[in-house]
Amino acid sequence: MLDIQLLRTQLETVAQTLAARKFVLDTASFQALENERKVLQTHTQDLQAKRNSLSKQIGMLKGKGEDASAVMAEVSGLGDELKSAEERLAALQEKVTDFLQRLPNLPHASVPIGTDESGNVEVRRVGVPRDFDFEVKDHVDVGASLGLDFETGTKLSGSRFTFMRGQMARLHRAIAQFMLDVQTNEHGYTECYTPYIVNADSLLGTGQLPKFEADLFAAKKGGQEGEGETLYLIPTSEVTLTNSVRGEVLAADQLPIKLTAHTPCFRSEAGSYGRDTRGMIRQHQFDKVEMVQIVHPETSYATLDAMVGHAEAVLQKLELPYRVMALCTGDMGFGATKTFDLEVWLPAQSAYREISSVSNCEAFQARRMQTRFKNEQGKNEFVHTLNGSGLAVGRTLVAVLENYQQADGSVIIPQVLRPYMGGLERLTSRG
RNA sequence: GGAGAAGUGGCCGAGUGGUCGAAGGCACUCCCCUGCUAAGGGAGCAUACGGUCAAAAACUGUAUCAAGGGUUCGAAUCCCUUCUUCUCCGCCA
């Protein structure tokens, strides 16, 4: 959420900045809402002040045993007008809040301008794609004989679900555990286990609601058809990790807070029909090791760079070629001021594909969540929040299968994963 | 799932309809006192959003005693709903 003061004082500037990310700020509507709000709020508060002071008089008169009927008659005349003013004000403020909650974050000045992913800027490339002396297969074909089963996933749940067996399932688990160990042991994150089902407040806090409900899966307790609170499956553990500090005023020395978790993520993938339909690149359910940091505003950009490094470390240890991309204004997510994507090399596609996304949200989420800290002046100040994948487990599995495939159909297991595989060095169809 | 109890400021805790944004204590900040010892005295100390204002300061208003509704001229106090916590019983991985 943007600071409403910023919109009040610099509406045109905000509109221009948001235009860079293809968002059209309806300045006329905002202005109209604000004008109406100002008049109505002042009016309502005047009426409330009048009622309060008259009611106080009644109390004093009664306390002294005097007759208060004249004052009571006066104040009761306020009733209807006050009630209607309060109702109109509440409705209006709800509109203003909703308007604000649907505005994306302002891109940082250093973010390249662009309309879509073609405007992203490559920052660096690490590792060299391997030369294959045989025809490379994609992960679906490589995995078919190794326990990667899409048909069963589809039978159980529909398209975009996967079922894994045997060493393939174990490799998937090994990747997740390896990532978690890297982030906790080497980068100082605290491992967390979090709920996978959350309430609407949590999703409002990180920005998935109210605007992107269609991208989520919703759940209800059994037998509550049409009633009861709607809960949602998390689309990322960014939601639970970040919201763990929702509504809190932190002490300055608690910062930075560094959290990580391995969780499944659930996404409806509305609007991605026809994209990445083959294989497990784009799934309704996938696992991810997430990193979240809650930091002092002054350090958030240094933290962003550090977190990109934390994600890169995983790819480097797995010896997978990748590149770092600075996303342009048109390709960034709703809550981010600045985002770096990591893209891993997929030989079957002859392309780099997204495997991690690391973003600074500055105070955008903190303002929604009301997460603050006591600053040097003893004042409450919003923290900055950052999140990043460290990494997406399913896509890492894809990358391992494709990059480590052998001519005989087996897959060499990267060195760093072998301890998690009981020393196994290779996936084979006999395995 | 059943029965009961409870949710007040950073923490503890008083407060059952009226000068309550809320006593008292702890913690914290500042000042005074004190030649020692976790001593004493005084003051301050919630947040958000408005208005006056270019802005800051200041002044002022409104809201907030789990959340949301209701009763009332007036609600921390009464009623309803929801959430959460605790105790007992049941069930359960």
Side-chain angles (χ1 to χ4, degrees):
Chain A
M1 199 156 73
L2 300 179
D3 185 354
I4 192 168
Q5 304 293 358
L6 193 65
L7 277 96
R8 284 177 183 150
T9 55
Q10 300 176 46
L11 189 58
E12 284 311 316
T13 312
V14 172
Q16 282 168 25
T17 312
L18 289 181
R21 58 187 307 166
K22 297 181 296 186
F23 185 89
V24 180
L25 180 63
D26 187 347
T27 56
S29 289
F30 180 75
Q31 211 100 59
L33 277 175
E34 261 297 283
N35 290 340
E36 198 184 341
R37 191 221 94 239
K38 193 180 278 188
V39 171
L40 193 50
Q41 181 164 354
T42 311
H43 176 62
T44 306
Q45 294 190 349
D46 283 348
L47 287 173
Q48 287 170 328
K50 199 166 169 190
R51 179 205 58 201
N52 288 348
S53 78
L54 288 175
S55 289
K56 200 166 263 188
Q57 278 182 41
I58 294 172
M60 284 191 274
L61 289 171
K62 290 201 165 182
K64 284 186 267 182
E66 293 174 22
D67 175 43
S69 54
V71 186
M72 286 178 72
E74 189 181 350
V75 74
S76 62
L78 291 173
D80 289 344
E81 190 184 358
L82 180 58
K83 190 171 181 185
S84 108
E86 283 175 339
E87 279 167 2
R88 279 182 295 146
L89 180 61
L92 194 59
Q93 282 176 328
E94 202 169 304
K95 270 194 206 169
V96 173
T97 302
D98 190 64
F99 185 91
L100 280 179
Q101 283 180 332
R102 288 169 188 275
L103 301 187
N105 205 351
L106 300 170
H108 188 261
S110 65
V111 174
I113 306 291
T115 56
D116 55 36
E117 63 180 14
S118 66
N120 296 345
V121 174
E122 184 175 312
V123 178
R124 60 181 166 271
R125 237 175 237 233
V126 178
V128 181
R130 178 181 148 202
D131 281 326
F132 289 87
D133 54 9
F134 57 92
E135 193 175 338
V136 292
K137 294 187 279 190
D138 75 358
H139 68 281
V140 179
D141 291 336
V142 174
S145 63
L146 302 175
L148 190 56
D149 177 356
F150 294 100
E151 287 73 29
T152 303
T154 303
K155 176 171 71 180
L156 296 175
S157 310
S159 66
R160 298 197 189 280
F161 285 95
T162 305
F163 195 101
M164 287 179 257
R165 287 187 185 78
Q167 296 302 352
M168 184 64 70
R170 184 169 186 181
L171 180 60
H172 183 263
R173 169 163 62 93
I175 290 168
Q177 302 221 353
F178 161 69
M179 288 174 180
L180 213 42
D181 284 346
V182 169
Q183 302 310 348
T184 56
N185 296 337
E186 298 181 23
H187 302 143
Y189 289 82
T190 300
E191 180 172 348
C192 301
Y193 172 83
T194 83
Y196 303 156
I197 301 177
V198 296
N199 57 32
D201 283 344
S202 295
L203 291 155
L204 279 166
T206 31
Q208 286 79 15
L209 290 179
K211 208 172 174 180
F212 304 104
E213 184 173 21
D215 295 340
L216 301 168
F217 279 100
K220 273 191 194 301
K221 288 182 182 173
Q224 284 195 328
E225 198 61 42
E227 55 183 85
E229 185 183 19
T230 301
L231 298 169
Y232 298 88
L233 306 192
I234 55 171
T236 158
S237 49
E238 167 199 342
V239 173
T240 47
L241 294 177
T242 307
N243 274 281
S244 66
V245 294
R246 169 151 53 85
E248 302 203 10
V249 179
L250 304 160
D253 62 12
Q254 286 178 268
L255 305 177
I257 295 173
K258 305 171 71 174
L259 307 172
T260 186
H262 162 224
T263 71
C265 305
F266 302 93
R267 299 186 182 180
S268 76
E269 292 299 338
S272 65
Y273 300 110
R275 292 185 63 193
D276 302 315
T277 49
R278 181 173 165 85
M280 61 184 299
I281 292 289
R282 192 174 299 278
Q283 298 278 287
H284 287 313
Q285 171 185 321
F286 64 94
D287 280 26
K288 184 153 58 73
V289 171
E290 182 76 0
M291 309 174 285
V292 160
Q293 290 207 38
I294 315 293
V295 304
H296 190 291
E298 281 174 9
T299 67
S300 65
Y301 282 94
T303 301
L304 178 63
D305 291 337
M307 288 175 72
V308 171
H310 297 160
E312 287 185 74
V314 175
L315 288 171
Q316 288 167 14
K317 287 169 191 291
L318 289 169
E319 299 181 72
L320 291 168
Y322 68 92
R323 62 178 187 174
V324 181
M325 304 292 288
L327 295 199
C328 71
T329 51
D331 200 32
M332 281 201 312
F334 183 69
T337 58
K338 187 167 187 175
T339 298
F340 291 101
D341 272 9
L342 263 48
E343 296 183 344
V344 70
W345 176 254
L346 293 186
Q349 296 189 9
S350 273
Y352 286 96
R353 291 300 308 263
E354 179 187 348
I355 196 166
S356 172
S357 189
V358 185
S359 300
N360 186 0
C361 297
E362 294 193 17
F364 187 82
Q365 295 178 327
R367 192 171 289 111
R368 288 169 166 255
M369 298 191 300
Q370 288 298 304
T371 301
R372 292 158 297 179
F373 74 104
K374 287 265 183 234
N375 67 16
E376 294 74 7
Q377 290 80 45
K379 288 296 208 181
N380 290 347
E381 184 177 342
F382 290 119
V383 296
H384 281 190
T385 62
L386 301 98
N387 62 77
S389 6
L391 312 166
V393 177
R395 288 188 182 180
T396 304
L397 182 72
V398 167
V400 167
L401 293 179
E402 293 200 6
N403 282 282
Y404 282 88
Q405 64 180 297
Q406 303 300 309
D408 64 1
S410 67
V411 173
I412 300 281
I413 295 170
Q415 283 288 348
V416 291
L417 295 179
R418 293 180 190 173
Y420 297 90
M421 295 293 289
L424 194 70
E425 294 177 5
R426 189 188 285 259
L427 295 187
T428 64
S429 52
R430 294 180 304 283

